[in-house]
Amino acid sequence: MRAFLLFLIAVSAFLTGASTSATASALPAHRPAASAAEAPPPAPSASADPREEHPPQAAQTVRVGIELVSLGKFEVGPGSFQAEFYVTAHCAREPCEPDLDVTNGKLTGKERVLDDKLHQEYRIRAELIGYVDLSEFPFDAHTLPISLVDKNLGSTLELDAAETKLDPEVRLAGWDVASFDGKLRTHALDAQHKVTELEFSAHITRPRISAFFKSIVPAIFMIFVMGFTLLLKPKSAASRLTAATGGLMTVVMFHVSATSALPPLGYLTRLDKFLIATYFVYLVNIGFSVAMVRFDEKKNDRAAELMYSAAAGVVPGIGLLAWLLVFLRVM
């Protein structure tokens, strides 16, 4: 009996030890606590702004000037022309790498001629387009623009007036190059970004003396010929009528030839208005000549003489008034 009890005690001890080892193996192993020296650095707080450690650089300021050295192939129809110029750029700080481009055309050549830390110079050739207003033809004047921007949005352009100039040797066939200047414009892309644009302008005019002799003097001689017909007496009214109608057709043909080189326009030029006023004067003269012929056929010499005297004053008076209204820009 004692041996049986000892056997039960041994079995119970064996089962208790097995249960304890199984429980210990099922529990996860705990990593020993790290020392203060081995503790990882604390994570940055969510409120920290990384831009405080690396603040943004100040906006680059570039002073730009242009020296215009060549103009060519100006066409009044589309307003296109070619230009060659030197661009000088002075930067406020390094790096000085402006990326200049034109906004009213395209570059056909760009060559760096000076490369310094804060000073860049380029020789640029471009095909450009400008607005052409021919309303004052043949005494018209035009502005040929060269608009520059820096494609680097972090830069701001400024006008360098000292470097903005016109080469004295610049010539444009058929035109006088009067002056060259520049101005600054600012365009807002959105609420945070703005783009500065430099617009340089070459001002050209048509030679006044040449325009006067080619466009106005021929019409003046035709008007003088018509004026001499006013001296013909009522008995010569038929010849006077023939000369007036032939002169009117001559003025019309001159008008067509004088404006044939211009593009189709939706408005009247100064020459158009002058010649239209001349048409009206010719028509008044023709009207008086027809009246004289009619009265002469009816043997009404008194009425014919009255028309002759009235035409001598009315025709020149209407002509002077109409031409003054044209050249004083009243109409």
Side-chain angles (χ1 to χ4, degrees), residues 7 28 67 87-88 128 146 153 213 248 276:
F7 174 77
E67 181 182 3
V87 177
T88 304
L128 306 167
I146 304 173
L153 294 180
F213 277 96
L248 178 60
I276 289 173

Side-chain angles (χ1 to χ4, degrees), residues 224-267:
F224 271 125
V225 171
M226 180 195 67
F228 285 122
T229 63
L230 295 176
L231 301 176
L232 296 175
K233 294 294 182 178
K235 295 297 182 182
S236 303
S239 300
R240 175 173 171 169
L241 178 60
T242 302
T245 54
L248 178 60
M249 294 299 102
T250 304
V251 174
V252 171
M253 296 306 298
F254 170 73
H255 189 183
V256 172
S257 64
T259 57
S260 61
L262 300 180
L265 302 175
Y267 50 85

Side-chain angles (χ1 to χ4, degrees), residues 260-308:
S260 61
L262 300 180
L265 302 175
Y267 50 85
L268 296 177
T269 66
R270 191 63 52 190
L271 181 62
D272 290 330
K273 295 176 182 179
F274 169 69
L275 293 177
I276 289 173
T278 304
Y279 297 160
F280 180 70
V281 176
Y282 266 90
L283 289 175
V284 173
N285 185 29
I286 290 173
F288 279 106
S289 299
V290 170
M292 284 188 288
V293 170
R294 294 284 294 175
F295 287 129
D296 185 64
E297 290 176 350
K298 294 181 179 180
K299 307 301 181 180
N300 191 344
D301 295 336
R302 183 177 179 182
E305 286 290 340
L306 181 61
M307 290 296 101
Y308 170 77

